[in-house]
Amino acid sequence: MRSTPGGRPERWRSGWRPDPDPATWWHDFHTWVRYSTARGVVFRRARIVSQPVSDYIRYEHACIYQNVAAGELVRWLPRRRASDIALPGNDFWLFDGRVIMWNHFTGEGGSAGLELDERPEVAKLCASAFDAVWERATPHETRSDRPISTCPRPCHQGPGCP
């Protein structure tokens, strides 16, 4: 499980829920996203998730409204719907279609560090993979308030899925 400041995933499992008041959770990251999107920068985050989802993914799903409020566009894709997409082996951020920031994780989900990569052919692979995921994924704001793991059907087709 990835660790976050204050052990919030652990607190979430014990019943803690984030306060809806932005004054309680707004951070520099949110200000940066808000400022950047006001200038026309687009922030897209796609989450490919295994199902049933882990507690950490349930926690992220419950808290992602904070990123959305700052201006991020967020989509979710069940891993079984990504089987035919060629994906890079690590989590990444792609900046301006040319700079990749790889996010390396340990087997326990903790951070193993970041790595910058400016190889054009790798940036092209990342952009192509991300676009394929983005096209197929469900926008966060169209999902119900239920955790994404509660759908009883194996298809997980998106907004129309009960």
Side-chain angles (χ1 to χ4, degrees):
M1 177 173 296
R2 294 183 202 172
S3 107
T4 61
R8 289 187 181 142
E10 292 78 16
R11 289 176 38 214
W12 185 86
R13 277 199 313 268
S14 299
W16 169 85
R17 294 300 179 260
D19 190 318
D21 180 5
T24 65
W25 50 260
W26 195 272
H27 295 289
D28 290 343
F29 175 78
H30 300 108
T31 300
W32 175 64
V33 170
R34 172 73 53 89
Y35 172 76
S36 298
T37 56
R39 293 184 300 113
V41 174
V42 177
F43 282 80
R44 297 185 302 165
R45 181 185 304 254
R47 295 300 320 265
I48 301 173
V49 295
S50 297
Q51 293 184 318
V53 296
S54 67
D55 283 345
Y56 185 79
I57 294 302
R58 282 198 268 307
Y59 161 75
E60 278 199 338
H61 189 266
C63 297
I64 202 71
Y65 73 89
Q66 298 167 351
N67 296 59
V68 172
E72 268 192 45
L73 304 172
V74 179
R75 293 189 180 187
W76 300 86
L77 183 66
R79 190 169 306 282
R80 69 173 49 236
R81 295 196 55 225
S83 296
D84 60 343
I85 300 172
L87 299 168
N90 290 295
D91 183 62
F92 66 91
W93 285 77
L94 181 61
F95 299 96
D96 297 329
R98 63 176 191 79
V99 178
I100 306 152
M101 184 176 72
W102 298 111
N103 300 305
H104 298 290
F105 295 99
T106 67
E108 299 289 315
S111 177
L114 305 171
E115 177 186 4
L116 292 179
D117 188 338
E118 296 187 51
R119 293 175 291 169
E121 68 279 7
V122 179
K124 184 176 178 180
L125 167 71
C126 289
S128 174
F130 185 88
D131 288 344
V133 168
W134 189 258
E135 180 67 28
R136 198 172 289 184
T138 301
H140 182 77
E141 51 277 359
T142 64
R143 297 211 55 94
S144 72
D145 289 334
R146 296 176 300 174
I148 59 177
S149 65
T150 60
C151 179
R153 299 185 329 186
C155 63
H156 305 287
Q157 294 297 312
C161 192

